[in-house]
Amino acid sequence: QELDEWVNASYTNNPKEPQKLIHKTIPGILVRSKSEALIINALFEHKIPFRYECLLQIQNVSIYPDFTIRHPVTGEVYYWEHFGMMENETYRENAYNKLKLYGQNGIIPSINLITTFETKSHPIDSGKIQQIVKEKFVL
């Protein structure tokens, strides 16, 4: 009940570059990359409550994690960041800075932060995404 209300409540999402929201997902949410679409489709398929690019305030900094997820049984909050252009030096630096900010605020990889990475030559596949979703959220 509470998780359903959380999923359906309005939230502030990322206002940056809405023209890049071009990939449609099964639940009808538009996202920035094919990989993000695969993640949403996997979460949706397994009925995992999530929000896409929901505002998170950390140390007076506004960030928009790719996914804010609530565990379907415990209600615990997890964040999932998919870093999809790791071959780009500026993107990579920004990714590391974001991870540092998370770590300084108790959002820790493999505990309450899921991270996935890819480059053009090493794309992530749907099997890996399904594996992560099942390991973390499907009992």
Side-chain angles (χ1 to χ4, degrees):
Q1 170 81 26
E2 190 262 333
L3 291 178
D4 287 340
E5 290 173 12
W6 179 82
V7 166
N8 295 314
S10 64
Y11 62 91
T12 302
N13 58 348
N14 191 350
K16 193 177 111 189
E17 303 186 76
Q19 73 279 9
K20 291 189 176 178
L21 297 170
I22 59 170
H23 300 279
K24 192 170 185 179
T25 61
I26 293 169
I29 299 167
L30 293 176
V31 296
R32 299 174 193 281
S33 73
K34 291 176 188 171
S35 298
E36 288 180 340
L38 291 173
I39 293 168
I40 282 188
N41 291 343
L43 293 169
F44 183 76
E45 173 189 342
H46 293 287
K47 298 178 177 58
I48 310 302
F50 70 91
R51 291 178 174 175
Y52 177 67
E53 292 190 344
C54 177
L55 174 65
L56 175 63
Q57 291 288 145
I58 300 181
Q59 295 181 357
N60 298 319
V61 177
S62 296
I63 62 172
Y64 298 88
D66 292 330
F67 306 94
T68 304
I69 302 166
R70 299 283 302 273
H71 192 283
V73 175
T74 67
E76 289 178 88
V77 175
Y78 292 79
Y79 300 97
W80 187 332
E81 287 287 359
H82 177 71
F83 298 105
M85 300 187 311
M86 293 302 285
E87 68 277 351
N88 177 302
E89 187 175 344
T90 303
Y91 182 94
R92 197 169 46 246
E93 282 296 314
N94 290 337
Y96 294 143
N97 288 333
K98 197 173 196 182
L99 290 170
K100 182 177 178 185
L101 181 64
Y102 279 135
Q104 291 168 339
N105 290 278
I107 300 172
I108 310 297
S110 83
I111 296 174
N112 55 354
L113 175 62
I114 300 164
T115 54
T116 46
F117 302 87
E118 69 181 327
T119 63
K120 286 180 182 166
S121 60
H122 293 89
I124 194 164
D125 65 45
S126 60
K128 178 66 175 168
I129 290 167
Q130 286 285 343
Q131 176 188 348
I132 292 167
V133 169
K134 287 176 184 172
E135 284 176 5
K136 286 287 186 184
F137 304 111
V138 179
L139 301 176

